[in-house]
Amino acid sequence: MQLVAAASKLLDVKPEVVLRQFGEYFFDFCKRSGYDHMLRTLGGNLFEFIENLDALHSYLALSYKEMNAPSFRAERNGDGTMFLHYYSDRRGLCQIVPGIIEAVAKDFFNSEITMEIVNQIEEVERTGKKEHVVFLVTQKPTFSRRNAMHWNPNKEQPNTDNFPNGLKVNLFMQFNHNTNFLQCVPRPIYQDIQKSLQRKLQSQGFSMCRNHWETVRGLVQLGKGKLLRGFEPVYPKNLCIDLKTFCNAFPFHIVFDKELMVRQAGVNIQKIVPGLQTMSIHLDQYFSIVHPEVTFTISSIRKFINSHFVLQTRRDMMPEAWRDRPMLELRGQMLWMESLQCMLYQASPLLRSLHELEERSMHISDIAPHDVTRDLILLNQQRLAEMELSNQLERKKEELRHLSQHLEEERTKTENLLYAMLPKHVANQLKEGKRVEAGEFKECTILFSDVVTFTNICSECEPIQIVNMLNSMYLKFDRLTTVHTVYKVETIGDAYMVVGGVPIPVSSHAERVANFALGMIIAAREVINPITGGPIQIRVGVHSGPVLAGVVGEKMPRYCLFGDTVNTASRMESHGLPNKIHLSPSVYL
């Protein structure tokens, strides 16, 4: 309702307009979602369509168990109008109904209608739905007989008793445009009817306009699309079936009178509810109405007699063996027998799967062979199996997604570890299975550093203190290698070795290493000596020259440098002074 209020404010229209537009869109959405064919088969006219909406919702509830659909009841009036009763436990949405119903009338039955609210009343017969709105449905006329035919006042009123095939046409009755009978008649038969009717009308005082033949075609369609030859059923004088056969053929039927007194019941429902064998109990003592949500009275049942009725057994009236089982639900049709003043409830067990059948200790054989419930259970069981398989595939897909994500995280960690051990382009070559050849670099700059009096520190401190000191120092030095783009070759004890210009040659290798060395001196001041409590002192030696570089080892491969330049840089460090950078002449120049 907040969305409706916001849309009304933005569009500057009343909320009723927004809800009606939503109803039209919802009908179109249902058609595009694959329910078009199902909706078209609900009825041959708007009245039948509305009466079967509840049945459609009950079938859809088999798949969508949480569905809480509104309920509809249509009531014909003598003047051709119709009262549409709308029930819902969601208040304020009744204006959606005209949008839906008007779209249905226009799309399915080629008819235009108007709907107006004539009453909003509190619930009486309904027990669950909170809102009851009554709409007056009026059909808009699409043509008038004055425009279609010209009456000759000098002749008597036409007699229609002798129309072809016994056709009765009252030319002055209200037109009914909701039938599509002629669309189903073969063309040769239709043409014969057309010519015969035209001759009859002309002979009895009507002059037909060529462009008004559609009006006469509408007259033929009177009567909800009945066959031209009119069908009259034939009933036997006596019912050719004995009581036992009937009760066995329809094992879940119940007959009860106006006072809800049970007069007759099928054999299987008697077996499940033994109280029905007495034939003198009140039906509402043993059953409650689940759908539609109405009071258990004859008057309420007769108002909703076109709905599917779902009855559920009451637990307190069931045998001891049923106390721990789910209650049995019956779904079927109510038929009022006027001559007997009794109601026939022709039902079937409401079972959706073999699991529900087993829960109630029932078997397929308990259901009559002609009952489609058998097929429904088996087909729905197959659907449930397919849904479970689909759910399993979805779960496996989700597991694979998590595994793939975890694998990607582990791969990233592995790559970072590999890049810490080897230069990135060398590591990528090794991952691709390529052989990394050793290479000679004619010019590079190598740096060595160590901690002054490191031997004395190790002899007087705990091992963990040494580890913490070196870890603090190396973390700071590692960050500097990234800042100055130099490659860390390795660390051995307190010795730290970097190189510039290897493995990627650059002309500014000496400047990069020199700036890195200055950063090391500054960073070392923040590392605490565990003996003195003051900052540690380091020596730094730097030398430039040619080297040979390559990957050494397979189990623990390392990128190593070889040559006199390495030895000279190490000697520059070992002969240097504390907190000083010892440069060779090649670096200085």
Side-chain angles (χ1 to χ4, degrees):
M1 296 308 296
Q2 293 177 358
L3 287 172
V4 172
S8 301
K9 183 178 180 180
L10 181 65
L11 301 174
D12 192 23
V13 295
K14 294 182 179 180
E16 293 81 1
V17 177
V18 177
L19 290 173
R20 286 200 177 210
Q21 291 286 358
F22 173 78
E24 293 181 16
Y25 172 80
F26 181 73
F27 171 68
D28 184 64
F29 168 78
C30 290
K31 291 200 304 177
R32 289 186 284 107
S33 299
Y35 292 95
D36 181 45
H37 184 68
M38 182 183 296
L39 291 172
R40 288 182 183 275
T41 57
L42 285 184
N45 55 49
L46 187 61
F47 182 86
E48 294 174 352
F49 179 91
I50 294 171
E51 285 291 353
N52 285 284
L53 273 180
D54 282 0
L56 174 64
H57 290 150
S58 65
Y59 284 121
L60 293 178
L62 295 175
S63 299
Y64 306 99
K65 295 185 178 181
E66 301 300 322
M67 179 190 293
N68 186 17
S71 181
F72 299 92
R73 177 167 67 90
E75 184 179 345
R76 292 181 186 270
N77 299 322
D79 59 356
T81 61
M82 176 174 62
F83 284 128
L84 172 60
H85 296 259
Y86 161 79
Y87 304 87
S88 175
D89 56 8
R90 291 188 289 267
R91 295 184 180 275
L93 301 179
C94 63
Q95 290 295 339
I96 295 178
V97 177
I100 296 177
I101 300 301
E102 289 174 3
V104 169
K106 185 175 182 180
D107 191 293
F108 288 173
F109 307 110
N110 194 27
S111 175
E112 292 189 9
I113 62 172
T114 59
M115 294 182 62
E116 56 179 325
I117 296 177
V118 295
N119 203 357
Q120 283 185 277
I121 57 179
E122 294 296 326
E123 280 303 321
V124 178
E125 65 273 351
R126 298 294 296 236
T127 59
K129 304 299 183 184
K130 304 300 186 297
E131 186 174 56
H132 178 191
V133 180
V134 182
F135 294 92
L136 176 63
V137 182
T138 306
Q139 180 176 325
K140 293 181 180 179
T142 55
F143 58 85
S144 65
R145 64 183 175 212
R146 184 178 60 183
N147 295 332
M149 299 184 179
H150 304 286
W151 171 247
N152 187 346
N154 296 323
K155 292 191 176 183
E156 298 179 357
Q157 182 176 344
N159 181 11
T160 61
D161 293 336
N162 298 320
F163 266 48
N165 300 323
L167 177 62
K168 309 296 184 180
V169 179
N170 184 351
L171 298 177
F172 298 101
M173 70 183 295
Q174 183 175 357
F175 295 159
N176 183 347
H177 311 291
N178 288 339
T179 57
N180 296 310
F181 164 70
L182 288 182
Q183 297 177 4
C184 305
V185 177
R187 186 169 182 81
I189 298 177
Y190 167 75
Q191 291 174 344
D192 291 340
I193 296 172
Q194 185 182 35
K195 293 177 182 178
S196 178
L197 182 60
Q198 187 176 15
R199 288 195 301 269
K200 177 62 68 175
L201 290 173
Q202 290 176 346
S203 66
Q204 297 196 18
F206 289 90
S207 59
M208 299 296 302
C209 297
R210 182 179 302 176
N211 58 346
H212 294 147
W213 183 246
E214 292 296 326
T215 303
V216 180
R217 187 179 305 170
L219 293 175
V220 181
Q221 299 181 51
L222 293 173
K224 291 174 53 180
K226 294 180 180 178
L227 292 175
L228 290 178
R229 292 186 178 274
F231 170 73
E232 291 293 337
V234 176
Y235 298 101
K237 294 181 179 180
N238 298 310
L239 191 63
C240 298
I241 183 171
D242 61 87
L243 295 177
K244 289 185 178 180
T245 303
F246 187 89
C247 290
N248 282 278
F250 304 100
F252 289 95
H253 83 278
I254 302 173
V255 177
F256 56 97
D257 58 20
K258 290 183 177 181
E259 286 73 33
L260 304 182
M261 190 76 71
V262 175
R263 305 278 294 274
Q264 181 178 311
V267 292
N268 285 355
I269 192 63
Q270 293 180 35
K271 182 170 61 177
I272 297 173
V273 187
L276 294 177
Q277 290 182 308
T278 62
M279 300 298 177
S280 60
I281 64 168
H282 286 85
L283 190 63
D284 57 344
Q285 292 178 329
Y286 285 81
F287 291 90
S288 58
I289 299 179
V290 177
H291 178 84
E293 296 171 342
V294 299
T295 55
F296 212 141
T297 62
I298 282 291
S299 60
S300 296
I301 294 174
R302 293 190 67 176
K303 283 184 179 180
F304 294 87
I305 199 165
N306 289 319
S307 300
H308 274 158
F309 275 77
V310 177
L311 269 57
Q312 185 183 63
T313 53
R314 294 185 180 272
R315 188 172 296 277
D316 55 342
M317 302 300 290
M318 292 296 286
E320 193 68 30
W322 272 78
R323 294 299 171 90
D324 298 328
R325 303 176 190 170
M327 291 295 95
L328 176 67
E329 290 185 346
L330 300 175
R331 182 181 64 191
Q333 179 184 9
M334 293 285 184
L335 297 170
W336 176 248
M337 298 181 290
E338 186 66 33
S339 59
L340 300 177
Q341 291 293 296
C342 289
M343 186 73 71
L344 168 64
Y345 180 50
Q346 177 58 32
S348 301
L350 181 56
L351 301 170
R352 301 175 180 86
S353 64
L354 294 176
H355 177 68
E356 293 185 2
L357 191 72
E358 293 171 351
E359 283 183 331
R360 291 157 178 80
S361 296
M362 295 178 64
H363 303 86
I364 291 290
S365 59
D366 293 328
I367 304 171
H370 64 80
D371 196 334
V372 295
T373 304
R374 291 184 170 208
D375 299 330
L376 179 64
I377 293 174
L378 297 176
L379 290 174
N380 201 45
Q381 183 68 29
Q382 180 182 358
R383 186 186 65 85
L384 291 174
E386 293 174 352
M387 288 178 61
E388 178 60 26
L389 180 60
S390 177
N391 291 335
Q392 290 180 6
L393 291 176
E394 287 295 327
R395 289 194 293 269
K396 290 296 182 183
K397 181 180 177 181
E398 188 66 16
E399 291 176 7
L400 288 175
R401 191 183 68 82
H402 285 297
L403 289 174
S404 177
Q405 183 178 358
H406 181 67
L407 181 62
E408 184 64 23
E409 293 173 356
E410 294 300 321
R411 187 182 68 83
T412 302
K413 293 179 182 179
T414 303
E415 287 182 348
N416 292 337
L417 181 61
L418 184 60
Y419 293 154
M421 298 169 57
L422 298 169
K424 189 171 183 178
H425 76 283
V426 174
N428 291 334
Q429 288 181 346
L430 291 176
K431 285 198 304 179
E432 295 172 2
K434 297 180 181 179
R435 180 180 178 84
V436 181
E437 300 289 343
E440 182 179 355
F441 296 85
K442 294 182 179 180
E443 193 69 31
C444 69
T445 300
I446 299 176
L447 176 147
F448 278 93
S449 72
D450 69 347
V451 178
V452 179
T453 67
F454 181 71
T455 304
N456 295 334
I457 295 174
C458 291
S459 62
E460 297 183 22
C461 294
E462 295 293 331
I464 189 62
Q465 292 178 299
I466 304 300
V467 171
N468 291 336
M469 181 191 72
L470 292 177
N471 185 55
S472 175
M473 181 178 68
Y474 289 157
L475 286 176
K476 299 179 187 300
F477 292 172
D478 289 345
R479 284 194 290 267
L480 289 173
T481 60
T482 303
V483 173
H484 299 286
T485 319
V486 294
Y487 176 66
K488 172 187 172 183
V489 180
E490 62 181 342
T491 58
I492 303 174
D494 63 326
Y496 195 91
M497 176 184 176
V498 301
V499 62
V502 176
I504 301 176
V506 290
S507 58
S508 59
H509 54 84
E511 289 85 349
R512 295 185 182 190
V513 174
N515 290 329
F516 175 77
L518 292 172
M520 293 178 74
I521 298 297
I522 298 173
R525 297 171 186 170
E526 301 176 4
V527 181
I528 303 302
N529 187 325
I531 297 178
T532 64
I536 63 171
Q537 293 181 320
I538 62 172
R539 288 187 295 262
V540 179
V542 183
H543 178 60
S544 296
V547 296
L548 185 69
V551 178
V552 177
E554 292 182 355
K555 186 174 182 180
M556 189 73 173
R558 301 294 299 178
Y559 191 72
C560 298
L561 306 180
F562 303 94
D564 289 338
T565 303
V566 178
N567 297 330
T568 302
S570 178
R571 298 299 177 269
M572 295 297 295
E573 173 268 318
S574 60
H575 290 81
L577 300 176
N579 289 338
K580 299 291 182 180
I581 301 172
H582 195 191
L583 302 178
S584 68
S586 59
V587 178
Y588 180 75
L589 295 176

